[in-house]
Structures are given as C-alpha cells and as structure tokens.
Amino acid sequence: MLKGKKIAIGITGSIAAYKIPLLVRLLKKEGAEVQILLTDVAKDFITPLTLSVLAGNPVLSESFDKKTGSWNSHVELANQADLYLIAPLSANSMAKMSHGIADNLVLTTYLAAKCPVFFAPAMDLDMYKHPTTQENIKLLQLHGNHLISPNEGELASGLCGAGRMEEPEIIFEIIKNFFKKKTQLSNKKILITAGPTYEAIDPVRFIGNHSSGLMGYAIAEELANRGANVELISGPTSLSVFSPRISKTDVVSAKDMFDVCINKFPECDIAVMSAAVADYTPEKTESNKIKKKTDDFLLKLKATKDILAQLGKQKKDNQLLIGFALETENELDNAKKKLKNKNLDFIVLNSLTDKGAGFKHKTNKISIIDNKGNISDFTLKDKKRVAIDIVDKIDELF
Ligand code: CTP
C-alpha cells in the first residue's frame, strides 16, 4: 500500500517526539520514503541522527544549510510529498500553523503543501483544553487538514487526561488506510447513534448505563476521514467531535433518539446504530423529586421503541443498516437473531465475557456477522482500530 509513497513528517517541540522513530520504522518497512523535518525545539527531544539513520536520508531543519551552502526549498519538499504528517504538533506550533505564521521549515512546508496534511497534537491537559487550542484545532480542520486526535492517559507532566499523542502504530494504520483503494464512502450521508440514553425518573434521577460513546465516536471519525458526511446522534457523553464532516445532535432519552433517527434516516445512505439505548423507561416521569417514604419502592417501566428495528422496517434496497449486539451468553445465536429480526446488513457483536471488550474500555473485541452468513472474528484492539475494521466492512458492502 505504501510502496514508493513519499511521506514528509514534521516534528515539533514535544516529548512525544520520542515515538516518531517507531513510526518511521513502520512506514519504511511498508516501502514508504520518509523525509523528516524538525523544528529547533524538536531537536531537544529527539536527535537528528537517530531519525536520519532510520529514515535513510538526512533530516532537514533549516531552509539554508550553512555547512553545505545548499537551499532546502519548502516548496519543493511540499510538492514532492504524497502526504505531510505533523507529529507531534505542540500547542505553540499549532497556533502558528492555524494562523499562517511560517517561521521555520516545518511551517513553511505546511503552507506550501498541496498534498493531504495530517496533524497529531501532543501537549499537556490544560493546554489542550484551553479554548484557544480547541479553536485552533477546529480552524486547521476547516482548512482541510486531518486531525489524529490525542488520547487520554498519563501525561509527561504527571497530569492525567487528554493531550497524549496517538500511538505510532495507530498513526501508521491511519496513514495506510488513507492510501487504500478509493473509498465508496466519499460524500455519502451516514447516520450514527452513540453513547447511552438517560430515562428520567424524576427531575434529579434517571436510569442509564455505562456506555462511554467511544466506539460510536471512533466510527464517526473514521467515516468522516473517508469523506462521508456524518449525522451523529449522541446520548449524554463527555466526548467532543472536531471534524467539520460530523454534525452532532445531542439527545437524552430513547424517545428523543428515536424521533431524530426516524426523521433523518430517509435521506441517509447508511445507518450505524451503536448507541446503548434503554429498553425500558419509567411509565411516568414525576415532575417533583420523589421523597423517601417507604422501605421499598416499586418503579413501573414500559418498553421503549426499538430504533434499529424500526429503521429495519423502513430500509430501502439502496440503504445499509448496521447494528450492535452486546451479549453475555449465547452470543453468536443472539446476534444472529438480532441480525435477522431487525433486517440488518451486518451486526457487530461484543461479548462482555471477553476481557477488555465492551463498555468502559478503550479497547474492544468484536465479531462481524453479515446477512450472507459470513462471520469474521477480530482480535482485541484499540477502539480506533476496531472502527477501521467496521468501516472497512461498510465500505466493502456499500
Ligand atoms: N437498539 C435500538 N433501540 C432500542 C434498543 C436497541 O436502536 N430501543 C439497537 C442498539 O443500538 C443496537 C441493537 O439495537 O444496535 C441491539 O441492542 P441490544 O440492547 O443488544 O439488543 P436488544 O434488541 O435491545 O435486545 P436485548 O437487550 O434483549 O439483548
């Protein structure tokens, strides 16, 4: 896939620079030609020698090389590249990049680049959360650049949260995927549900579940990366979307989600229902807080409407419908029943008996069962990689 592809990597000043040699090795192994560009501060985090040995050519950091007297033309570098990745991208370089400041070779090459540009932010939690940084990320995306969003986790500062650069193996997958044969999903309209629903008992209490929304958001992002226009209908989560190709509607209850989906589905090519929708809701929502009076308390519930089953009834021949099944026993049989009963094209099965799969994890282990009887089992992977597998299947069937 990457044989002969020219990939330029711009490295800016962040500790995450230490991960780039691994990425360079992965790219080289696949036959890519790698050209490294470094800012001055980046050299404090990673040595040019390590990078030039791995890339197999000298790294560049100055427009004018005083030693050899040669000129490193940013325009030429930008024209030669099939893809320009800026990773890690520090908050400072991101601010410059989003406002057209070009005071080093990494940034002049960015301004001259006509090839697709990917950027992988890496910074401390507070810098990442700062409204200016968030605005800059949006600006870069609006200008057509592809975000490789950072992970949450332990940061070099000792803080824990968002801002950790994506792992090199996943950046590699994303790049590889980008060069795959032309996707069928470009400009297709795709409906996706994600997260839990909250069913109100009274003004302060609800029935909910542990869904984080991570899986659905990762699928939405992967679809947007392949050029689809995504309608994300999300239950309450702490997640955000950045891609201008994703339009997000926030909902709370199963009924809200049902109404929005029924309204949007007719104009969509594909629907992916990954939300953990409540099957039951309180028969009556009290308008005042329920007071504690008795030793026991009985709450009467009524069934919610099954969104996926309803879309299955309405589905036209040119529409694809994908569902999820989260099971704890008789996994395959239950998933097959849902696939048939809800008239799906394929179903993604997660088993809660698999360690590291399902809710609350950053990883997932899935099987895909399609309506032709094909079953594919996948290994435990990061949810962003699982999203790539699911979107590959959508792409194949569409
Ligand atoms: N789903 C839905 N609307 C509901 C319930 C579920 O759209 N009211 C969708 C989910 O988004 C998922 C699929 O149906 O894609 C399966 O959900 P799941 O809860 O596993 O299955 P159910 O059909 O509700 O069956 P059960 O809870 O009995 O396993």
Side-chain angles (χ1 to χ4, degrees):
M1 212 91 69
L2 294 179
K3 200 162 172 23
K5 290 279 181 258
K6 293 188 172 63
I7 297 180
I9 303 180
I11 305 178
T12 74
S14 154
I15 180 66
Y18 83 89
K19 295 179 179 175
I20 299 302
L22 185 58
L23 174 66
V24 175
R25 285 203 58 189
L26 292 169
L27 291 168
K28 291 287 290 180
K29 255 177 144 174
E30 283 279 314
E33 291 173 30
V34 179
Q35 175 62 64
I36 303 280
L37 312 177
L38 279 173
T39 64
D40 277 342
V41 187
K43 287 186 218 162
D44 293 334
F45 292 97
I46 181 91
T47 76
L49 183 62
T50 308
L51 292 161
S52 64
V53 170
L54 291 172
N57 57 31
V59 302
L60 305 174
S61 65
E62 311 287 343
S63 293
F64 180 65
D65 187 334
K66 290 182 195 112
K67 266 193 218 143
T68 60
S70 57
W71 169 248
N72 298 318
S73 163
H74 55 278
V75 175
E76 221 170 89
L77 283 166
N79 280 342
Q80 279 167 1
D82 294 307
L83 183 146
Y84 186 23
L85 166 73
I86 306 179
L89 179 59
S90 66
N92 182 48
S93 291
M94 185 194 291
K96 290 192 208 168
M97 209 174 137
S98 52
H99 290 85
I101 298 171
D103 58 359
N104 59 47
L105 193 61
V106 169
L107 297 172
T108 46
T109 304
Y110 163 65
L111 277 190
K114 291 185 200 76
C115 63
V117 176
F118 284 69
F119 65 104
M123 61 201 71
D124 217 15
L125 171 66
D126 296 325
M127 294 173 90
Y128 181 68
K129 279 194 340 202
H130 195 282
T132 309
T133 306
Q134 292 299 316
E135 283 302 314
N136 290 339
I137 290 178
K138 281 194 196 131
L139 260 181
L140 285 178
Q141 287 189 296
L142 276 176
H143 298 160
N145 304 295
H146 303 259
L147 168 69
I148 300 178
S149 46
N151 279 324
E152 290 197 5
E154 237 172 72
L155 299 161
S157 63
L159 290 176
C160 195
R164 216 163 83 153
M165 190 181 82
E166 186 50 276
E167 294 305 320
E169 293 87 349
I170 293 188
I171 298 182
F172 171 67
E173 280 303 316
I174 292 171
I175 292 177
K176 217 166 74 170
N177 224 41
F178 186 79
F179 286 112
K180 265 193 180 162
K181 66 173 177 25
K182 247 234 90 33
T183 169
Q184 307 296 313
L185 302 175
S186 185
N187 290 322
K188 294 291 170 292
K189 192 154 186 191
I190 306 186
L191 179 68
I192 171 154
T193 61
T197 62
Y198 286 179
E199 308 303 316
I201 298 171
D202 68 14
V204 292
R205 302 177 180 99
F206 61 83
I207 300 172
N209 60 64
H210 291 299
S211 169
S212 62
L214 265 179
M215 193 65 253
Y217 277 62
I219 298 170
E221 227 176 77
E222 181 57 27
L223 288 166
N225 273 345
R226 297 198 200 183
N229 297 319
V230 181
E231 286 281 353
L232 173 64
I233 318 303
S234 175
T237 72
S238 58
L239 306 173
S240 324
V241 287
F242 297 104
S243 170
R245 288 194 171 274
I246 304 177
S247 150
K248 183 175 155 199
T249 307
D250 290 312
V251 295
V252 177
S253 67
K255 183 180 181 315
D256 299 341
M257 195 174 266
F258 181 90
D259 291 344
V260 179
C261 288
I262 296 301
N263 185 23
K264 292 195 184 280
F265 185 56
E267 67 205 35
C268 290
D269 302 288
I270 299 164
V272 184
M273 300 286 107
S274 75
V277 187
D279 288 331
Y280 292 94
T281 189
E283 199 172 58
K284 181 168 178 255
T285 303
E286 296 298 335
S287 47
N288 292 313
K289 188 180 166 208
I290 300 169
K291 300 303 278 180
K292 184 170 59 191
K293 284 184 196 140
T294 48
D295 280 350
D296 56 3
F297 179 78
L298 223 59
L299 187 66
K300 189 146 190 222
L301 304 178
K302 62 177 181 194
T304 58
K305 288 195 233 170
D306 191 313
I307 308 165
L308 185 60
Q310 183 57 37
L311 299 191
K313 283 185 195 145
Q314 288 176 216
K315 187 177 80 165
K316 306 243 165 54
D317 285 348
N318 58 356
Q319 287 178 306
L320 272 192
L321 184 59
I322 293 103
F324 276 67
L326 180 67
E327 304 292 340
T328 53
E329 55 184 355
N330 302 327
E331 291 92 340
L332 197 57
D333 281 349
N334 285 336
K336 281 181 178 168
K337 268 184 214 149
K338 285 177 192 174
L339 174 78
K340 190 161 177 281
N341 295 344
K342 300 192 187 191
N343 189 24
L344 311 180
D345 293 277
F346 72 84
I347 191 156
V348 180
L349 167 65
N350 306 242
S351 168
L352 276 192
T353 54
D354 286 322
K355 238 179 145 201
F359 291 170
K360 289 203 251 176
H361 296 284
K362 283 185 188 158
T363 51
N364 203 0
K365 184 171 182 307
I366 60 158
S367 298
I368 292 182
I369 304 134
D370 71 21
N371 60 1
K372 307 267 179 319
N374 301 309
I375 302 175
S376 319
D377 296 316
F378 295 85
T379 53
L380 185 73
K381 296 178 185 186
D382 183 283
K383 282 185 174 164
K384 285 186 190 167
R385 279 186 171 189
V386 176
I388 293 175
D389 292 334
I390 295 171
V391 175
D392 277 349
K393 181 75 180 179
I394 298 175
D395 218 342
E396 175 199 319
L397 290 188
F398 193 68

